[in-house]
Amino acid sequence: MQRAMLRANKLSLRGLGRTSPNPIVGAVIVNDDGQEIASGFHVGGDHAEIVAIKNAQSSGISDFSSLTLVVTLEPCNHHGKTPPCSDAIIKAGFARVIYAVADLNPVARGGAEKIREAGIEVIDGIEKEYVAYSNRAWLKKVTTGAPWIITKIAVSLDGKIAAADGSSKWITSDDARADVAILRNQSDAIVTTTETVMQDNPDLTPRFQSENPTSRSVNPVRIVIGNREISADASINNDRAETRFIKSRSLTELLDMAKAEGWNQVMVESGARFNSALFEADLVDEIVIYQAPTLLGSGKDLAGDLSISTLTDRKDFSFGEIHRVGRDLRTQLLRKNSALAEIFTSEFSVAGKR
């Protein structure tokens, strides 16, 4: 059933940025031969299991007694905006349920036990590390209350984010910027600073076409942090997304906003000063670096003073996925010793599967 789980996980990724405060979830219904009968994923509204069941019923399936439901997350067992998935699964009468990751939400957990007590076989842990990696933002949020924080950095070959005169458009290629649009689309909010807005006048929206199946009806919230006033005609003030201003440089205020909203993932696009503050506070869970094959010599470094005076105080990250995007190199780095360290038992177990 590993192939079915990988298929379910791939489906779940289509919900990134569209499910907060809930997790991304994918579900596949298969027969004894492993043939896919129906599938579904969560994007708000019905959960993935319910979508898959309804899709199977729409195709003429009424008897589920010989079928297996493969789902990335343990079916929920509580009444929220929708009834418990565990009840719907029991009512359908599946032969077995297979899931990858246990539901860590104390309000929703217990679905597997309830399904077992109803006489349905339940198998857990299939592709657990891989699926947990895909759902890492929600898993951190539900266990700590804080969102998964990604910072995106575009650099030259010698680690500069801007030339000596401050110019930074564009260090990387159109292909890299298109990939950044995907990261934005997968986030609940995008954070920048007044300094970056005044320097670069960014729009900070995905700019996807509406017919794109992974696009969202509402763009991520844009958050501008800092004390300086922004021009009314700045791109950040357009009507393409909601923009909020934090009139300080308080990381606590930013985190409190994210927690109150239940955001799973927050993306940062700023300069070295704000990134350095995040690094120094150990708030960055993931760095995505787009590196152009070009040299600037002098210029602005990707990070400033981190109050590190000795090698033992360094900020360590683990390499994640690394691949080319057009002419540039995209490198993902994951923070070591994070709240999810115990879930990822192998740093490289997820490489190449996405």
Side-chain angles (χ1 to χ4, degrees):
M1 291 295 174
Q2 288 177 307
R3 186 168 70 174
M5 185 63 76
L6 295 179
R7 160 72 173 155
N9 190 73
K10 186 175 182 179
L11 286 169
S12 76
L13 294 172
R14 296 180 65 175
L16 281 171
R18 304 162 74 183
T19 64
S20 288
N22 296 325
I24 58 169
V25 184
V28 175
I29 298 173
V30 298
N31 61 20
D32 285 339
D33 296 325
Q35 179 183 358
E36 182 176 320
I37 304 300
S39 63
F41 59 96
H42 179 52
V43 289
D46 285 339
H47 291 185
E49 302 96 312
I50 308 305
V51 175
I53 290 171
K54 287 182 176 180
N55 286 339
Q57 291 169 335
S58 296
S59 65
I61 302 296
S62 58
D63 183 1
F64 292 82
S65 61
S66 64
L67 302 180
T68 297
L69 174 66
V70 180
V71 61
T72 54
L73 187 70
E74 177 185 2
C76 69
N77 191 41
H78 82 300
H79 283 271
K81 293 181 180 179
T82 61
C85 291
S86 55
D87 289 349
I89 291 167
I90 292 168
K91 182 178 178 181
F94 283 95
R96 68 190 59 82
V97 173
I98 298 175
Y99 70 90
V101 177
D103 193 336
L104 300 183
N105 186 346
V107 175
R109 64 175 51 166
E113 182 180 357
K114 185 174 184 179
I115 293 168
R116 282 193 183 97
E117 290 175 350
I120 297 174
E121 180 185 8
V122 177
I123 301 171
D124 65 272
I126 302 298
E127 292 287 351
K128 174 184 175 180
E129 293 163 8
Y130 175 46
V131 174
Y133 165 79
S134 296
N135 221 347
R136 60 194 179 278
W138 178 80
L139 285 168
K140 182 198 174 187
K141 193 277 299 288
V142 79
T143 53
T144 70
W148 185 269
I149 297 180
I150 295 177
T151 186
K152 181 274 297 182
I153 305 175
V155 300
S156 63
L157 195 60
D158 48 352
K160 306 299 181 183
I161 63 171
D165 65 355
S167 60
S168 60
K169 287 188 174 181
W170 299 100
I171 290 177
T172 53
S173 64
D174 289 344
D175 292 320
R177 294 195 293 278
D179 197 72
V180 171
I182 296 173
L183 272 180
R184 290 175 179 167
N185 190 60
Q186 295 173 345
S187 301
D188 300 304
I190 301 170
V191 180
T192 192
T193 64
T194 53
E195 181 179 359
T196 298
V197 171
M198 297 173 75
Q199 179 74 29
D200 296 337
N201 193 28
D203 176 85
L204 299 185
T205 55
R207 295 188 176 275
F208 277 163
Q209 298 298 318
S210 59
E211 63 270 16
N212 189 306
T214 62
S215 65
R216 47 200 288 167
S217 58
V218 178
N219 281 324
V221 175
R222 298 174 295 198
I223 302 171
V224 182
I225 188 168
N227 293 307
R228 290 188 282 183
E229 292 298 322
I230 299 302
S231 171
D233 61 358
S235 295
I236 204 80
N237 285 322
N238 64 30
D239 62 0
R240 288 175 48 80
E242 177 188 355
T243 301
R244 303 182 188 180
F245 292 88
I246 297 176
K247 294 295 186 177
S248 70
R249 296 189 68 85
S250 170
L251 298 179
T252 299
E253 192 171 348
L254 173 62
L255 287 176
D256 286 346
M257 179 186 292
K259 291 176 182 179
E261 294 289 347
W263 289 331
N264 292 339
Q265 180 168 296
V266 171
M267 180 179 173
V268 176
E269 296 191 57
S270 70
R273 184 180 174 189
F274 188 63
N275 272 326
S276 296
L278 292 170
F279 290 140
E280 193 167 4
D282 285 327
L283 291 177
V284 176
D285 298 292
E286 181 175 342
I287 308 172
V288 178
I289 294 179
Y290 296 88
Q291 188 172 38
T294 187
L295 294 169
L296 291 179
S298 61
K300 296 184 178 181
D301 294 322
L302 66 86
D305 181 22
L306 299 179
S307 300
I308 296 173
S309 58
T310 180
L311 194 61
T312 56
D313 293 335
R314 64 191 181 190
K315 307 291 184 180
D316 282 333
F317 289 79
S318 297
F319 282 110
E321 299 176 57
I322 304 172
H323 59 266
R324 286 186 60 171
V325 178
R327 70 182 182 92
D328 303 314
L329 186 67
R330 183 190 193 274
T331 301
Q332 177 201 41
L333 298 157
L334 300 170
R335 181 163 64 97
K336 281 190 172 182
N337 304 318
S338 72
L340 295 179
E342 70 278 7
I343 293 178
F344 308 124
T345 57
S346 171
E347 293 178 13
F348 303 102
S349 64
V350 300
K353 285 189 176 181
R354 293 187 81 182

